[in-house]
Amino acid sequence: MSAQNHRTPRLLVAFKCLLHILAFSPFIYLVLAVRAGEFSADPAKDIQHFTGLIGLKLLLLTLLVSPLSRWLHQPLLMRCRRLIGLWCFTWATLHLLSYYFLELGVHNISLLGQEIVRRPYLTLGMISWLILFSLAVTSFRRIQIRMGPRWQKLHNGIYLLAILVPVHYLWSVKAYSPQPFIWFALALLLCALRYKKLLRKTGF
């Protein structure tokens, strides 16, 4: 085996470790910021916004992996997409839990259901979380083999998420801010980079 082949797994492991550190480090910042009182007078809203935004960034990073791998001629990057996707689901779950525990209270599961039905942005958020959940639990190689062609059809849901999540963010903002529009534009751009694949998948 060549020295290059020996280096490749090591580089992949090192890169995955770096991704784990980068994806986990915002949680450390969040804990320190809460303890230091660096958030506003409504820290619950700040925590919800922070966790949701990290999830959105990781979602867009997941979409960026494929074109980046192609442009850089680095197919090994594709082997990191699942890792980023799982971290995206983790942060989305933290976002949901922060809303449930900090906004509604631990004993208000029925109120959570009512709010999801009553508020469109929460409906979109819950639909997005359920799609992410389905992608996360089926992301393992053994399940992929068992599902066969159905696996790819299910995981094309990432493109639907690229629209639903930024819209959820846009609708959730009470006061005007350019940030949700910027993230929505970035999501559309990443989908546009994959338009040929999207057309092929949808049969157009």
Side-chain angles (χ1 to χ4, degrees):
M1 186 179 289
S2 67
Q4 179 64 34
N5 290 334
H6 277 297
R7 274 199 307 271
T8 297
R10 293 179 182 177
L11 288 173
L12 182 61
V13 169
F15 189 61
K16 285 186 174 182
C17 288
L18 178 61
L19 286 175
H20 278 300
I21 293 170
L22 292 175
F24 181 73
S25 58
F27 183 77
I28 298 175
Y29 166 79
L30 181 62
V31 172
L32 294 176
V34 170
R35 293 187 64 180
E38 294 183 4
F39 287 130
S40 68
D42 191 356
K45 290 289 186 184
D46 294 334
I47 292 171
Q48 293 166 41
H49 175 79
F50 182 84
T51 52
L53 189 56
I54 296 297
L56 174 57
K57 290 177 179 179
L58 288 167
L59 173 65
L60 298 186
L61 183 59
T62 305
L63 288 170
L64 184 60
V65 168
S66 183
L68 196 62
S69 174
R70 186 170 61 252
W71 293 337
L72 298 178
H73 304 289
Q74 292 292 338
L76 283 177
L77 288 175
M78 296 296 292
R79 295 169 66 178
C80 300
R81 189 165 54 180
R82 173 177 165 271
L83 184 155
I84 301 171
L86 289 174
W87 272 110
C88 174
F89 171 70
T90 300
W91 278 99
T93 302
L94 288 175
H95 178 60
L96 175 61
L97 292 176
S98 67
Y99 176 77
Y100 174 59
F101 286 110
L102 302 179
E103 191 79 17
L104 302 181
V106 67
H107 299 298
N108 280 329
I109 187 68
S110 61
L111 180 58
L112 174 63
Q114 294 171 19
E115 289 291 288
I116 289 172
V117 172
R118 190 164 61 93
R119 301 180 186 274
Y121 80 92
L122 290 179
T123 306
L124 277 186
M126 195 64 206
I127 291 172
S128 300
W129 185 85
L130 289 172
I131 295 173
L132 269 174
F133 175 77
S134 67
L135 299 184
V137 298
T138 59
S139 64
F140 301 94
R141 181 65 178 171
R142 184 175 297 178
I143 297 178
Q144 180 180 354
I145 295 172
R146 285 184 179 181
M147 291 184 66
R150 292 176 298 165
W151 185 89
Q152 187 59 62
K153 292 180 180 179
L154 174 64
H155 281 252
N156 286 335
I158 188 73
Y159 302 110
L160 179 60
L161 282 173
I163 302 301
L164 293 182
V165 175
V167 172
H168 161 73
Y169 180 25
L170 187 62
W171 284 359
S172 69
V173 176
K174 302 299 187 294
Y176 172 77
S177 170
Q179 194 175 39
F181 293 95
I182 293 172
W183 289 111
F184 185 63
L186 287 174
L188 290 178
L189 175 61
L190 287 171
C191 287
L193 292 174
R194 311 289 296 279
Y195 78 96
K196 289 183 179 180
K197 183 177 179 179
L198 285 172
L199 290 176
R200 186 171 65 251
K201 296 295 182 182
T202 53
F204 290 102

